[in-house]
């Protein structure tokens, strides 16, 4: 979990927003009234903290109040639906993690929204690498050794994740599918207790965010085996990727994005993207996020929409092939 950050430098953020393109300003003056960013999870978590960073930047440079609305419930779906029903004028926005957009639509069959139909992808905001760690008493030091060892165990290996249907749960299922490695999922309600149990040797593996686990890795409490991302992480360049270790086509990154109601005018969407891009590249914003192991990523509009579509297809295949149930 990312701890709350101190107030960002308003001057730095304002200077960043002054770099908005003249074209975007002329197309649609935004914001023209107060902005609400809906964070569909509890205060203090990564979604909330990131939403407050963005809100403060928007307010500093846009001349309008910007507030975060923690609309909690139903694994984020209450807040998401509230934005679906909001006026499509760019002043009510949604900040969500990957799983709510790319996993839940397949995992949960009764959602009141359809992502592609009801939302416009404004910008990817930040990414965080995922890592596979193991208990120190597990006699392996690499993914090839892990796969070979798992095949000698009658019941396979146990692996923890932050919960059923989470991106990290499905990352474990995808690895099992790609390697033929037998694994039993042990769900938790978050990463902290899962990490504690791996350190204690109660569970053998953990799929988690690198920022949440780096201190334990550095302290020798757990052993890092591989990143699930396509490239190595600047924060831990010594940890190889699954791709490097022979598991091809494996690129799973935790990310957070900003969405608007689908009917938001194209000119307003463009103005939004330029404004948010300026906030993200303000030095104070970048420093606050990078200190937590997040990488600022201003992938916008078409590219962000394509990411959502591609990952939704990937996870739908895994969910169906592994017969994963939400439990709700």
């Amino acid at each position: 979990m990312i701890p709350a950050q101190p107030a960002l430098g308003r001057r730095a953020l304002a200077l960043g927003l002054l770099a908005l393109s003249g074209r975007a300003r002329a197309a649609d003056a935004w914001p023209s009234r107060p902005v609400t960013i809906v964070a569909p999870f509890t205060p203090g978590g990564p979604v909330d903290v990131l939403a407050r960073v963005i809100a403060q930047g928007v307010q500093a440079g846009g001349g309008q109040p910007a507030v975060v609305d923690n609309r909690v419930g139903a694994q984020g779906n209450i807040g998401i639906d509230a934005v679906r029903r909001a006026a499509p004028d760019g002043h009510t926005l949604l900040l969500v993690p990957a799983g709510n957009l790319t996993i839940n639509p397949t995992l949960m069959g009764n959602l009141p929204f359809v992502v592609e139909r009801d939302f416009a992808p404004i910008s990817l905001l930040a990414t965080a690498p995922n890592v596979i760690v193991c208990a120190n008493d597990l006699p392996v030091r690499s993914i090839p050794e892990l796969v070979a060892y798992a095949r000698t165990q009658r019941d396979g290996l146990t692996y923890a994740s932050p919960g059923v249907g989470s991106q990290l749960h499905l990352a474990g299922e995808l690895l099992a599918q790609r390697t033929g490695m037998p694994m039993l999922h042990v769900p938790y309600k978050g990463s902290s207790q899962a990490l504690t149990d791996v350190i204690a040797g109660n569970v053998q593996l953990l799929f988690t965010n690198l920022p949440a686990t780096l201190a334990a890795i550095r302290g020798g409490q757990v052993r890092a085996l591989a990143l699930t991302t396509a490239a190595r992480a600047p924060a831990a360049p010594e940890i190889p990727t699954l791709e490097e270790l022979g598991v091809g086509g494996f690129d799973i990154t935790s990310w957070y994005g900003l969405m608007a109601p689908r009917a938001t005018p194209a000119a307003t969407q463009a103005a939004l993207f330029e404004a948010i891009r300026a906030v993200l590249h303000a030095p104070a914003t970048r420093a606050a996020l990078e200190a937590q192991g997040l990488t600022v990523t201003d992938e916008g509009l078409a590219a962000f929409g394509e990411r959502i579509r591609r990952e939704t297809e990937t996870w739908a295949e895994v969910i169906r092939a592994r017969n994963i149930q939400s439990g709700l």
Side-chain angles (χ1 to χ4, degrees), residues 125-153:
L125 302 173
T127 60
N130 298 323
V131 65
I132 305 167
V133 301
C134 72
N136 283 329
D137 62 359
L138 198 67
V140 302
R141 294 190 172 272
S142 70
I143 292 298
E145 289 182 6
L146 178 70
V147 173
Y149 178 74
R151 290 172 177 167
T152 69
Q153 304 302 298

Side-chain angles (χ1 to χ4, degrees), residues 2 12 18 61 66 83 90 101 108 152 158 171 215 232 253 258 263 276 283 286 301 323:
I2 302 175
L18 288 176
V83 176
L101 301 177
M108 303 175 182
T152 69
T158 55
R232 294 198 182 200
T253 303
L258 195 70
I276 297 305
R286 183 179 290 275
L301 305 173
N323 192 30

Side-chain angles (χ1 to χ4, degrees), residues 4-306:
Q5 295 297 305
L8 299 175
R10 292 182 178 275
R11 180 175 176 80
L13 290 168
L15 288 173
L17 280 173
L18 288 176
L20 294 175
S21 71
R23 178 183 59 79
R25 284 180 178 270
D28 195 337
W30 182 91
S32 60
R33 60 183 180 80
V35 175
T36 297
I37 299 177
V38 174
F41 294 96
T42 55
V47 172
D48 173 70
V49 171
L50 183 54
R52 293 179 191 282
V53 169
I54 298 301
Q56 189 169 0
V58 167
Q59 181 168 310
Q64 293 286 344
V67 298
V68 174
D69 179 3
N70 296 99
R71 196 73 66 91
V72 179
Q75 294 190 358
N77 293 325
I78 289 177
I80 295 171
D81 192 48
V83 176
R84 176 186 67 85
R85 294 182 283 103
D89 58 10
H91 291 85
T92 301
L93 305 171
L94 172 69
L95 200 154
V96 286
N100 285 89
L101 301 177
T102 64
I103 294 173
N104 287 1
T106 301
L107 194 64
M108 303 175 182
N110 59 346
L111 295 180
F113 56 84
V114 175
V115 173
E116 187 174 1
R117 180 194 70 197
D118 295 328
F119 295 99
I122 300 303
S123 180
L124 186 65
L125 302 173
T127 60
N130 298 323
V131 65
I132 305 167
V133 301
C134 72
N136 283 329
D137 62 359
L138 198 67
V140 302
R141 294 190 172 272
S142 70
I143 292 298
E145 289 182 6
L146 178 70
V147 173
Y149 178 74
R151 290 172 177 167
T152 69
Q153 304 302 298
R154 186 179 66 179
D155 298 323
L157 301 178
T158 55
Y159 80 94
S161 84
V164 173
S166 66
Q167 187 196 56
L168 293 160
H169 168 205
L170 297 191
E173 295 296 319
L174 183 59
L175 182 62
Q177 187 179 52
R178 293 275 178 88
T179 62
M181 180 171 55
M183 293 198 299
L184 174 66
H185 179 228
V186 182
Y188 287 78
K189 292 185 177 180
S191 294
S192 297
Q193 185 58 48
L195 178 60
T196 297
D197 275 5
V198 173
I199 291 172
N202 298 327
V203 184
Q204 293 162 308
L205 299 167
L206 171 64
F207 287 69
T208 184
N209 300 139
L210 180 62
T213 321
L214 191 56
I217 295 170
R218 293 278 189 256
Q221 295 171 292
V222 292
R223 185 180 306 127
L225 297 178
L227 297 177
T228 69
T229 47
R232 294 198 182 200
E238 73 280 6
I239 304 175
T241 68
L242 285 170
E243 181 84 29
E244 292 176 68
L245 298 173
V247 186
F250 212 104
D251 184 12
I252 299 170
T253 303
S254 291
W255 53 259
Y256 306 89
L258 195 70
M259 312 289 282
R262 169 59 71 180
T264 302
T268 303
Q269 292 183 37
L272 269 166
F273 174 64
E274 293 297 336
I276 297 305
R277 186 181 189 183
V279 170
L280 290 172
H281 287 283
T285 305
R286 183 179 290 275
L289 298 183
E290 289 182 351
Q292 302 304 320
L294 293 172
T295 299
V296 169
T297 312
D298 60 356
E299 178 180 278
L301 305 173
F304 183 31
E306 174 58 23

